[in-house]
Amino acid sequence: VQCKQLSQQMRGSLLRQVGGAKVAGIKFSAKTTLEVREWPEGMPDFAHFNDDMWEGKSRDERAKEYPKIKLKRYRFPRPFALSSLPTRDISMQSIENDDGEFRLYQGVWRMQPLPGCAPPGKQAMRLTYAVEISPRAYLPVQLVEGRIVRDLCTNLEAIRNAVTK
């Protein structure tokens, strides 16, 4: 609830994403419309990921339970991060009642500067990504999963190439 209230006060953009590929000899396409928002100071820790103890459970106990929790709008996945370093996040979430192939698609790109990890005069940045999806029943998830992973790698390589030009 807090995340939804805060994000509705923030400026963002709508992004219509359409992709297509041939997977195992089958032509496949998927589309979704995403709300995209920037969190310059990182997303607030509404889910208490950084708390050692919360509601009587340790962080490790909660981490083991997390995969069993049903996806819920505005409860974003958390990409890896060092809690001692600042973060900048970009969240994306499919719009409510989206007409695309996903009932829910939400994810976070997280950026963290890495002091001392680059040559003098240069900067290093860690970029991590976490996504959770709930596809419609007709979507061949197992055929598409590998494609999503390959496309993510291609996207990250394109980002790296653009940054290092």
Side-chain angles (χ1 to χ4, degrees):
V1 173
Q2 290 173 312
C3 185
K4 181 178 182 177
Q5 291 169 343
L6 184 57
S7 68
Q8 288 174 340
Q9 297 169 15
M10 298 172 64
R11 289 188 2 200
S13 297
L14 289 180
L15 172 69
R16 180 73 168 171
Q17 199 169 24
V18 180
K22 194 170 186 178
V23 181
I26 300 168
K27 280 192 173 185
F28 162 80
S29 68
K31 63 186 178 294
T32 188
T33 301
L34 300 171
E35 297 172 350
V36 180
R37 291 194 168 81
E38 181 182 11
W39 303 78
E41 306 299 319
M43 292 184 78
D45 189 21
F46 296 120
H48 302 273
F49 286 103
N50 295 326
D51 294 344
D52 289 329
M53 292 293 292
W54 186 63
E55 292 187 343
K57 294 181 182 175
S58 72
R59 185 183 344 210
D60 288 341
E61 290 173 301
R62 295 190 320 269
K64 288 176 187 169
E65 291 175 355
Y66 190 78
K68 300 172 193 165
I69 297 173
K70 187 177 177 184
L71 291 184
K72 184 177 178 183
R73 187 170 288 283
Y74 292 102
R75 188 179 58 219
F76 288 91
R78 288 306 227 210
F80 173 79
L82 297 175
S83 59
S84 60
L85 296 173
T87 61
R88 292 183 66 186
D89 294 330
I90 298 172
S91 67
M92 66 206 85
Q93 178 173 238
S94 56
I95 61 171
E96 291 195 55
N97 303 313
D98 187 20
D99 64 350
E101 278 63 43
F102 303 101
R103 285 186 293 266
L104 180 59
Y105 180 110
Q106 59 187 14
V108 177
W109 291 91
R110 172 157 293 159
M111 296 155 279
Q112 282 191 293
L114 297 173
C117 292
K122 302 281 184 173
Q123 295 180 3
M125 179 79 66
R126 173 185 286 123
L127 174 63
T128 53
Y129 176 68
V131 66
E132 296 175 326
I133 60 172
S134 176
R136 304 228 185 255
Y138 59 82
L139 187 67
V141 177
Q142 292 165 335
L143 291 177
V144 175
E145 245 176 10
R147 183 62 191 219
I148 291 171
V149 169
R150 283 193 304 280
D151 286 349
L152 177 61
C153 293
T154 302
N155 290 342
L156 289 173
E157 288 171 358
I159 291 168
R160 180 192 62 212
N161 292 340
V163 168
T164 57
K165 277 186 180 179

